[in-house]
Amino acid sequence: ATGYTTTFSSWSSTSGTITGDTTITANFSRTANTYKITFNKNGGSGGTDSVDIAYNTPKGSYPSITLPTRLGYTFNGYY
């Protein structure tokens, strides 16, 4: 699925010993991809340069950032 890395982990079967027709199933693990978000300070200085956020992280769970400053301006947010 988009946003995730899927990795083969093992094979499994419903029986311990194969004595006839059987089905063996592939098992996979899924890990959310991590993306680097880089902040354009638009002439400002200081503040957080970038953060790493996993795919599908809820908005309220984003990492905290330090805001940049710029003489003569009020920071109004990133868009």
Side-chain angles (χ1 to χ4, degrees):
T2 300
Y4 295 93
T5 298
T6 303
T7 306
F8 171 80
S9 57
S10 65
W11 293 103
S12 65
S13 70
T14 56
S15 65
T17 303
I18 298 174
T19 57
D21 291 347
T22 190
T23 299
I24 298 176
T25 304
N27 298 301
F28 295 89
S29 62
R30 187 172 88 160
T31 306
N33 294 335
T34 300
Y35 300 96
K36 180 178 287 297
I37 309 301
T38 303
F39 300 103
N40 178 348
K41 299 174 188 176
N42 197 21
S45 62
T48 303
D49 292 324
S50 65
V51 295
D52 293 329
I53 299 178
Y55 176 76
N56 215 21
T57 298
K59 187 174 182 179
S61 298
Y62 292 172
S64 297
I65 63 168
T66 302
L67 303 179
T69 58
R70 184 173 173 189
L71 187 61
Y73 291 84
T74 300
F75 181 76
N76 200 30
Y78 286 111
Y79 302 94

